[in-house]
Amino acid sequence: WYADSSKMKFADIDRDGLRAELDKDSDHNNNAGMVAWDGEEDLNHNGIVDFGETDPYEASDDLNTVRNTIPLTEWDIPDNITIYSFSGYIYMNDRSKCYDGNDFCRIAAESGNLRYAVSIGVDSKIGSIISKGGVSLRNSASVYGNVDIYSLPYNYAPLVMQESANYYGISSYYNYMEWPYRVTDGEEHHIDSLLGTTTLVVKNGQQATLNDGDRYRSIRVAYGGHLKINPGQIYVGNIQLESGSLLEFLEPGRETVVHAEGSFIWRTTLINEDRALVARGFKLIQYGELPMFVEGQWAGTIHAIRAHLILGQTIKELHGRFLGNMVTVHQNTDVYRVDFNPIQSTLEISFK
């Protein structure tokens, strides 16, 4: 049939041998390349290309959909993000700041909460916001980049700004199916079977060293206790480093990964002065869902997809990157982005 005298349209628009009513992806030949099924493009199934939808008959607009996801960022934070919330909010309290080198950092929240998925406190400063839900900028809050909200076509999640709040880039709305990040494989992972049965207690005046392959049910370091960590993979259930305890990385910058599943209280003092070097080599993966209280000196990446991260209650300077189910940054806290990028030993390099 003919739409007009100059252009003919076919029922089989992608010429894969299937008429549109029999072809679940009408605009791609045999579903080659980008996959966006018709029902995933016309989200409300009304036959009209509404704002925030893509066209089932136009191949060039097939971007990220449920069946055409971007690569998984596995056990890490997406490359251009410093703080990431998997399903809850990001709440940056008053006068908090997040830095990425000489600029301010980007944060992302997957919560679709229409009231707010991201709240930036009074006189706080960040780079850009990427959110599936509403964004709240309180008095004098500053966003030095863009505000991108992925809530269409069903909702216009609001961007609410109080007095003197501002963003200096642009504000844009996108289809929620175009969300640019993927941080989970959809499975729950646990390490209980990998944990040891003993508890390590380091009392006042005592020292202890964690080595590659160590496994503990719990670790507790009391006031005056000194915990040292060698590079490697370490498995722990509950972690409690009390105020006045000391923590030392024996080879800062070398790959040191702590796998944890349990309660987490971090009030320790870090002996290493080069925080950025420590953060480059240290990562903590939390498999459990109990809140994580980071009150002491911190340098490293935290990946805690099921847990609420509570950052900066006492010590107001953090180095690294952070992913949680929800993330709260307490007032007056400065976050400095440092990527997990371990250095190699001289011995390893010499054989390459």
mmCIF file of all heavy atoms in Angstrom, residues 92-97 120-125 330-334:
data_model
loop_
_atom_site.group_PDB
_atom_site.id
_atom_site.type_symbol
_atom_site.label_atom_id
_atom_site.label_comp_id
_atom_site.label_asym_id
_atom_site.label_seq_id
_atom_site.Cartn_x
_atom_site.Cartn_y
_atom_site.Cartn_z
ATOM 1 N N MET A 92 22.399 13.765 49.948
ATOM 2 C CA MET A 92 23.606 14.505 50.296
ATOM 3 C C MET A 92 23.210 15.661 51.203
ATOM 4 O O MET A 92 22.529 16.594 50.784
ATOM 5 C CB MET A 92 24.331 14.999 49.044
ATOM 6 C CG MET A 92 24.812 13.859 48.156
ATOM 7 S SD MET A 92 26.009 14.374 46.913
ATOM 8 C CE MET A 92 27.394 14.903 47.928
ATOM 9 N N ASN A 93 23.595 15.538 52.456
ATOM 10 C CA ASN A 93 23.191 16.524 53.444
ATOM 11 C C ASN A 93 23.882 17.870 53.228
ATOM 12 O O ASN A 93 24.750 18.024 52.362
ATOM 13 C CB ASN A 93 23.488 15.987 54.846
ATOM 14 C CG ASN A 93 22.371 15.091 55.353
ATOM 15 O OD1 ASN A 93 21.356 15.553 55.876
ATOM 16 N ND2 ASN A 93 22.557 13.789 55.192
ATOM 17 N N ASP A 94 23.503 18.830 54.060
ATOM 18 C CA ASP A 94 23.917 20.225 53.898
ATOM 19 C C ASP A 94 25.442 20.367 53.857
ATOM 20 O O ASP A 94 26.175 19.727 54.608
ATOM 21 C CB ASP A 94 23.377 21.065 55.042
ATOM 22 C CG ASP A 94 21.851 21.082 55.079
ATOM 23 O OD1 ASP A 94 21.236 20.623 54.105
ATOM 24 O OD2 ASP A 94 21.290 21.542 56.100
ATOM 25 N N ARG A 95 25.896 21.206 52.930
ATOM 26 C CA ARG A 95 27.295 21.591 52.789
ATOM 27 C C ARG A 95 28.214 20.406 52.477
ATOM 28 O O ARG A 95 29.417 20.445 52.761
ATOM 29 C CB ARG A 95 27.785 22.348 54.039
ATOM 30 C CG ARG A 95 27.060 23.679 54.278
ATOM 31 C CD ARG A 95 27.424 24.296 55.603
ATOM 32 N NE ARG A 95 27.059 23.432 56.731
ATOM 33 C CZ ARG A 95 25.830 23.311 57.208
ATOM 34 N NH1 ARG A 95 24.831 24.024 56.677
ATOM 35 N NH2 ARG A 95 25.580 22.516 58.228
ATOM 36 N N SER A 96 27.680 19.367 51.895
ATOM 37 C CA SER A 96 28.520 18.266 51.435
ATOM 38 C C SER A 96 28.954 18.536 49.995
ATOM 39 O O SER A 96 28.266 19.226 49.246
ATOM 40 C CB SER A 96 27.781 16.939 51.538
ATOM 41 O OG SER A 96 26.574 16.970 50.801
ATOM 42 N N LYS A 97 30.094 17.968 49.626
ATOM 43 C CA LYS A 97 30.650 18.199 48.288
ATOM 44 C C LYS A 97 31.228 16.895 47.765
ATOM 45 O O LYS A 97 31.758 16.088 48.531
ATOM 46 C CB LYS A 97 31.735 19.282 48.311
ATOM 47 C CG LYS A 97 31.259 20.635 48.843
ATOM 48 C CD LYS A 97 32.397 21.621 48.937
ATOM 49 C CE LYS A 97 31.946 22.928 49.548
ATOM 50 N NZ LYS A 97 31.566 22.763 50.981
ATOM 51 N N ILE A 120 19.768 17.049 47.273
ATOM 52 C CA ILE A 120 21.025 17.752 47.468
ATOM 53 C C ILE A 120 20.787 18.858 48.496
ATOM 54 O O ILE A 120 19.940 19.723 48.302
ATOM 55 C CB ILE A 120 21.559 18.350 46.151
ATOM 56 C CG1 ILE A 120 21.608 17.267 45.061
ATOM 57 C CG2 ILE A 120 22.919 18.976 46.374
ATOM 58 C CD1 ILE A 120 22.497 16.095 45.378
ATOM 59 N N GLY A 121 21.530 18.798 49.604
ATOM 60 C CA GLY A 121 21.271 19.668 50.738
ATOM 61 C C GLY A 121 21.719 21.103 50.549
ATOM 62 O O GLY A 121 22.323 21.484 49.533
ATOM 63 N N VAL A 122 21.442 21.890 51.560
ATOM 64 C CA VAL A 122 21.747 23.322 51.549
ATOM 65 C C VAL A 122 23.238 23.541 51.287
ATOM 66 O O VAL A 122 24.103 22.949 51.946
ATOM 67 C CB VAL A 122 21.342 23.958 52.893
ATOM 68 C CG1 VAL A 122 21.829 25.408 52.968
ATOM 69 C CG2 VAL A 122 19.833 23.878 53.086
ATOM 70 N N ASP A 123 23.533 24.373 50.284
ATOM 71 C CA ASP A 123 24.890 24.788 49.955
ATOM 72 C C ASP A 123 25.812 23.622 49.611
ATOM 73 O O ASP A 123 27.028 23.714 49.731
ATOM 74 C CB ASP A 123 25.491 25.604 51.111
ATOM 75 C CG ASP A 123 26.674 26.463 50.652
ATOM 76 O OD1 ASP A 123 26.682 26.884 49.488
ATOM 77 O OD2 ASP A 123 27.595 26.682 51.461
ATOM 78 N N SER A 124 25.231 22.498 49.170
ATOM 79 C CA SER A 124 26.037 21.361 48.721
ATOM 80 C C SER A 124 26.390 21.527 47.251
ATOM 81 O O SER A 124 25.707 22.236 46.508
ATOM 82 C CB SER A 124 25.284 20.052 48.939
ATOM 83 O OG SER A 124 25.140 19.804 50.326
ATOM 84 N N LYS A 125 27.437 20.819 46.809
ATOM 85 C CA LYS A 125 27.931 21.007 45.448
ATOM 86 C C LYS A 125 28.293 19.662 44.835
ATOM 87 O O LYS A 125 29.051 18.880 45.428
ATOM 88 C CB LYS A 125 29.156 21.929 45.447
ATOM 89 C CG LYS A 125 28.854 23.364 45.871
ATOM 90 C CD LYS A 125 30.110 24.201 45.942
ATOM 91 C CE LYS A 125 29.783 25.672 46.199
ATOM 92 N NZ LYS A 125 29.017 25.868 47.435
ATOM 93 N N HIS A 330 26.621 12.491 55.067
ATOM 94 C CA HIS A 330 26.299 13.423 56.142
ATOM 95 C C HIS A 330 26.848 14.820 55.866
ATOM 96 O O HIS A 330 27.721 15.015 55.016
ATOM 97 C CB HIS A 330 26.820 12.889 57.475
ATOM 98 C CG HIS A 330 25.845 11.957 58.127
ATOM 99 N ND1 HIS A 330 24.901 12.372 59.038
ATOM 100 C CD2 HIS A 330 25.645 10.634 57.956
ATOM 101 C CE1 HIS A 330 24.174 11.351 59.427
ATOM 102 N NE2 HIS A 330 24.599 10.269 58.774
ATOM 103 N N GLN A 331 26.318 15.779 56.609
ATOM 104 C CA GLN A 331 26.630 17.181 56.367
ATOM 105 C C GLN A 331 28.113 17.464 56.543
ATOM 106 O O GLN A 331 28.809 16.813 57.313
ATOM 107 C CB GLN A 331 25.816 18.069 57.305
ATOM 108 C CG GLN A 331 26.088 17.857 58.781
ATOM 109 C CD GLN A 331 25.149 18.675 59.643
ATOM 110 O OE1 GLN A 331 24.106 19.144 59.191
ATOM 111 N NE2 GLN A 331 25.526 18.874 60.896
ATOM 112 N N ASN A 332 28.581 18.444 55.755
ATOM 113 C CA ASN A 332 29.966 18.928 55.791
ATOM 114 C C ASN A 332 30.984 17.889 55.336
ATOM 115 O O ASN A 332 32.181 18.033 55.588
ATOM 116 C CB ASN A 332 30.335 19.415 57.199
ATOM 117 C CG ASN A 332 29.452 20.551 57.664
ATOM 118 O OD1 ASN A 332 29.266 21.540 56.962
ATOM 119 N ND2 ASN A 332 28.865 20.392 58.840
ATOM 120 N N THR A 333 30.535 16.850 54.635
ATOM 121 C CA THR A 333 31.444 15.792 54.192
ATOM 122 C C THR A 333 31.935 16.065 52.778
ATOM 123 O O THR A 333 31.158 16.410 51.889
ATOM 124 C CB THR A 333 30.740 14.423 54.235
ATOM 125 O OG1 THR A 333 30.368 14.146 55.592
ATOM 126 C CG2 THR A 333 31.655 13.314 53.735
ATOM 127 N N ASP A 334 33.236 15.872 52.564
ATOM 128 C CA ASP A 334 33.842 15.989 51.243
ATOM 129 C C ASP A 334 34.195 14.595 50.738
ATOM 130 O O ASP A 334 34.901 13.838 51.413
ATOM 131 C CB ASP A 334 35.103 16.845 51.288
ATOM 132 C CG ASP A 334 34.809 18.307 51.576
ATOM 133 O OD1 ASP A 334 33.673 18.746 51.336
ATOM 134 O OD2 ASP A 334 35.721 19.007 52.063
#
